[in-house]
Amino acid sequence: RGANLRRAGTQSGPSCQRGSEHFSAAGMQLALTRGGAARAGLRHHAKVAPLQRSTPSGSRQASRLRGNWRATPRMAFRRTGQTRRGVPNTAALSSGVEGLSPKGEFSPAFATSCVFASALGALCFGLNLSVINGPLEAIAGAGNLQAQGLIVSVLLVGATLGSILAGKAVDSIGRKSSLLLTGAFLLAGPLICVLGSGSLGPVVLGRGVVGVGVGLASSVVPQYIAEISPKHLRGTLGSVNQLTICFGILLGNVLNVLLSAHRWKFMFTLCALPPAGLVILALGFLPETPNFLVATGMVDKAEETARLLWGDSEQVAEAVAAAAAEHSGDGGITPMTEIFSAKHRKMLTICCMLFVFQQMSGINAIVFFSSILFGQAGFQNPALASLTIGAVNLFGTLGTCFLVERMGRKSLLGTSFSVMAVALLGMALGGGQSSVILGAMMVYTLGFALGAGAIPGIYVQEIGGDLRSQASSVAFTVHWLLNIAIGQAFLPLANALGMRAMFVCFSAVCCCALVFIHKFCVETKGKTFEEIKSLL
């Protein structure tokens, strides 16, 4: 049948041109452009009406054909077989043709798979943060608090450096190559720890290298996800970044429970597997983002990639035009100093303050010192209670994926900080009862996961506009600096003021966040980057 149809394209009935062919099919005109892209409405899973064609022996009617069709660079139709409803044909996607359901609705399987592949960097982020808790004493030596603090803090210092480097990397070498660089750092760090002599020096060096990778991942991964996600799914897919961070934290806690502290080299070997996968996928599977391709003048390639990711020709044209508007006149790369100019002050302030409120709301005190808090509350197995909190964080973030496109970013952020403020007061007024502390901490963690955890990273990418990479770099640098400060200051302040006073202070920060969000943040749900920019 495919051969008959290709022969039909060579006869006098259809008109054929180099670069495009027009077939008359029961009154429907299909225009195929060079490279097989369907600009005039080619749809998969379509029923093909009877085709009329001329042959040397006269005209005859081709038999009715049903099934999947795709255009090839040779401008021929090929039958590719049936696929499940709503799932795009992967062969068609790889050829640059829209993947559409029978009703013409695009199924973003390719974009979604790219999101989860890139999120391996976020998985390494969470895994490397939490896996060190179990073997820390075995590595540094029991009672050697200085060495333990060095092992923990060197990762945070490296992450700060990685966040600073990320802004320059994504604009100079691209988002895809930055993911590859991120994977390389995240892979090299654990291997340095494992292949070292077992002394403190190689471990500190390896954790520092991992920290640079974590800092890169914290900025590069959410930007990559934001730029490849379909507009109507940008919030949902953006939440995948935080979801995989939470899964990585939980996975690290599970490794600490299942493996003895003296098997820390095996733990670190396992930590090298996800970044190895990220490097492989970045080399052979992940595309460059349309936004960066437009910024560097490769508009045709940007259109081809956008069609692979989104399929909808209207969104492709809209997104490419918006990206071109963002980068018009900037030569593709904007200097880092531009982010600090007066016209971008409001945008940068919102980006940074969201992370200030996120970090100052007490989440790192809960994550870093949950075992100590549970021990003081009388729990017999603090590690198991911490694992419970990690599970709540994971499932709460999963809820964000379903709610963010329904409630919107601003509403969900307000709800999140409201729940956290109430839960923190519950911890302060709980009277030290273990059941009350655990319940309030679970509610607090759930509230954080529903908005304050995931949305600041999404929001920065959405309001950053043509300075998205610079805004992300500055905001995540603030994030890591506060992370270091809270890690160093929390226990001394708690000892001086008391744990209840600290919880009250954290609750007050959440209330301040509510006022800030109401006054300065705009809703970004369902809007293009250009539309969001006009609202600020």
Side-chain angles (χ1 to χ4, degrees):
R1 292 175 180 172
N4 290 338
L5 192 54
R6 286 194 292 274
R7 285 197 300 273
T10 65
Q11 305 302 322
S12 59
S15 61
C16 179
Q17 308 174 37
R18 176 180 174 85
S20 66
E21 295 187 7
H22 301 275
F23 289 85
S24 174
M28 177 186 297
Q29 189 178 46
L30 301 178
L32 302 180
T33 63
R34 182 176 303 164
R39 291 182 182 271
L42 177 61
R43 296 296 183 265
H44 296 286
H45 305 276
K47 296 179 180 179
V48 181
L51 300 176
Q52 298 291 337
R53 68 179 178 91
S54 298
T55 66
S57 60
S59 299
R60 67 178 181 176
Q61 181 174 343
S63 59
R64 182 178 297 273
L65 303 175
R66 299 173 184 269
N68 248 351
W69 299 91
R70 67 178 174 89
T72 72
R74 295 182 180 179
M75 302 302 158
F77 286 108
R78 290 183 183 174
R79 184 158 186 160
T80 59
Q82 298 289 341
T83 61
R84 291 179 288 117
R85 178 186 176 100
V87 179
N89 188 303
T90 55
L93 282 173
S94 66
S95 300
V97 183
E98 303 174 36
L100 301 170
S101 68
K103 294 185 179 180
E105 181 181 356
F106 180 69
S107 178
F110 181 65
T112 303
S113 62
C114 290
V115 166
F116 277 94
S118 64
L120 285 173
L123 175 70
C124 300
F125 179 158
L127 178 60
N128 283 287
L129 282 179
S130 63
V131 75
I132 195 64
N133 292 333
L136 187 58
E137 287 191 355
I139 297 172
N144 191 346
L145 298 181
Q146 184 177 6
Q148 293 178 26
L150 179 62
I151 293 172
V152 172
S153 61
V154 71
L155 184 141
L156 302 179
V157 173
T160 304
L161 178 61
S163 293
I164 295 172
L165 296 175
K168 184 66 175 177
V170 293
D171 277 346
S172 58
I173 64 175
R175 283 55 159 164
K176 176 180 176 178
S177 297
S178 295
L179 282 174
L180 181 61
L181 181 65
T182 300
F185 274 101
L186 291 170
L187 176 61
L191 293 181
I192 291 173
C193 296
V194 170
L195 299 177
S197 61
S199 60
L200 186 61
V203 173
V204 171
L205 175 61
R207 293 290 290 176
V209 173
V210 167
V212 175
V214 167
L216 286 167
S218 67
S219 184
V220 173
V221 173
Q223 181 169 353
Y224 183 84
I225 291 175
E227 292 186 2
I228 67 170
S229 298
K231 179 177 64 176
H232 65 289
L233 292 175
R234 196 169 58 231
T236 298
L237 294 180
S239 303
V240 170
N241 179 64
Q242 183 68 19
L243 180 68
T244 48
I245 290 174
C246 296
F247 182 74
I249 292 173
L250 185 63
L251 183 60
N253 290 332
V254 170
L255 290 177
N256 288 332
V257 171
L258 296 180
L259 299 174
S260 67
H262 294 286
R263 299 190 66 190
W264 60 268
K265 285 195 173 185
F266 181 62
M267 291 185 193
F268 287 173
T269 302
L270 295 178
C271 290
L273 297 180
L278 177 61
V279 169
I280 293 171
L281 291 171
L283 284 172
F285 173 71
L286 296 176
E288 184 55 85
T289 70
N291 191 283
F292 179 76
L293 292 172
V294 170
T296 51
M298 294 183 283
V299 178
D300 291 341
K301 181 65 175 177
E303 290 179 350
E304 178 186 346
T305 304
R307 193 169 291 108
L308 278 171
L309 293 167
W310 307 321
D312 183 354
S313 58
E314 291 185 2
Q315 182 176 351
V316 169
E318 181 183 72
V320 172
E326 281 186 3
H327 297 283
S328 59
D330 64 5
I333 299 177
T334 305
M336 187 68 186
T337 53
E338 177 67 17
I339 191 68
F340 300 105
S341 63
K343 65 180 179 179
H344 301 299
R345 186 173 298 151
K346 180 180 178 181
M347 178 268 289
L348 183 61
T349 300
I350 293 173
C351 291
C352 292
M353 288 304 297
L354 287 179
F355 280 105
V356 169
F357 289 126
Q358 181 198 68
Q359 295 299 302
M360 297 299 291
S361 66
I363 185 60
N364 281 324
I366 302 299
V367 172
F368 290 162
F369 307 109
S370 57
S371 295
I372 295 175
L373 296 175
F374 286 130
Q376 292 179 353
F379 281 90
Q380 298 298 318
N381 192 341
L384 187 59
S386 298
L387 188 61
T388 303
I389 296 298
V392 171
N393 192 21
L394 176 65
F395 287 111
T397 306
L398 186 62
T400 305
C401 298
F402 296 100
L403 293 175
V404 66
E405 294 296 350
R406 292 171 172 81
M407 294 180 61
R409 284 60 152 163
K410 185 174 180 178
S411 298
L412 201 55
L413 268 176
T415 302
S416 175
F417 278 107
S418 298
V419 172
M420 292 162 63
V422 173
L424 285 164
L425 287 178
M427 282 187 266
L429 303 175
Q433 299 181 23
S434 59
S435 58
V436 175
I437 294 293
L438 179 61
M441 201 171 286
M442 291 176 67
V443 172
Y444 169 85
T445 305
L446 180 63
F448 176 85
L450 286 174
I455 292 180
I458 300 171
Y459 204 79
V460 168
Q461 308 304 326
E462 291 183 324
I463 71 173
D466 55 331
L467 296 176
R468 192 173 302 115
S469 56
Q470 291 86 350
S472 178
S473 177
V474 173
F476 277 100
T477 299
V478 170
H479 167 277
W480 288 111
L481 289 174
L482 287 172
N483 210 316
I484 296 171
I486 292 172
Q488 297 296 318
F490 175 72
L491 285 182
L493 286 175
N495 291 331
L497 302 176
M499 201 67 72
R500 292 185 181 182
M502 294 301 298
F503 290 145
V504 171
C505 291
F506 290 147
S507 180
V509 171
C510 292
C511 293
C512 292
L514 288 172
V515 175
F516 180 87
I517 291 165
H518 176 73
K519 186 172 179 62
F520 295 105
C521 292
V522 298
E523 183 53 68
T524 60
K525 180 184 73 171
K527 295 180 175 63
T528 65
F529 292 137
E530 195 67 18
E531 291 170 340
I532 295 168
K533 184 178 180 180
S534 67
L535 294 175
L536 293 173

